Amino acid sequence: MGKYDYLKILRKTKARTRHICYKCETVIPSGEIYYKEHIQDAFLHSLHAKKYCASCYERHGVNLFTQK
């Protein structure tokens, strides 16, 4: 549980490089859509934002924050 967990949202992003999904550990190739943690504050940033593939987002939605 983090200090700013209530500010986290998932933002739809297009991959420029290859990533690994935090939930299912599949490869997200460049050019694919994935969802990245984002903090809804102009002055706060996450150093280790988790990335989720589109299929995990479709299955679990915003509940991805509470699961591993």
Side-chain angles (χ1 to χ4, degrees), residues 15-21 25-31 34 51:
R16 290 184 280 171
T17 62
R18 188 177 73 90
H19 299 288
I20 305 291
C21 178
E25 298 180 356
T26 59
V27 175
I28 304 167
S30 61
Y34 70 97
K51 298 164 184 78

Side-chain angles (χ1 to χ4, degrees), residues 5 8-15 17-29 31-39 46 48-68:
D5 281 346
K8 288 183 181 177
I9 61 169
L10 290 175
R11 182 173 278 175
K12 186 177 179 180
T13 309
K14 187 175 181 180
T17 62
R18 188 177 73 90
H19 299 288
I20 305 291
C21 178
Y22 182 76
K23 175 87 174 149
C24 65
E25 298 180 356
T26 59
V27 175
I28 304 167
E32 291 290 318
I33 298 295
Y34 70 97
Y35 292 84
K36 180 180 177 183
E37 280 185 352
H38 180 73
I39 298 177
S46 177
H48 304 288
K50 296 176 182 87
K51 298 164 184 78
Y52 301 100
C53 63
S55 62
C56 284
Y57 181 76
E58 289 172 6
R59 273 187 259 139
H60 303 285
V62 294
N63 295 328
L64 287 169
F65 291 127
T66 60
Q67 300 173 354
K68 163 61 180 126

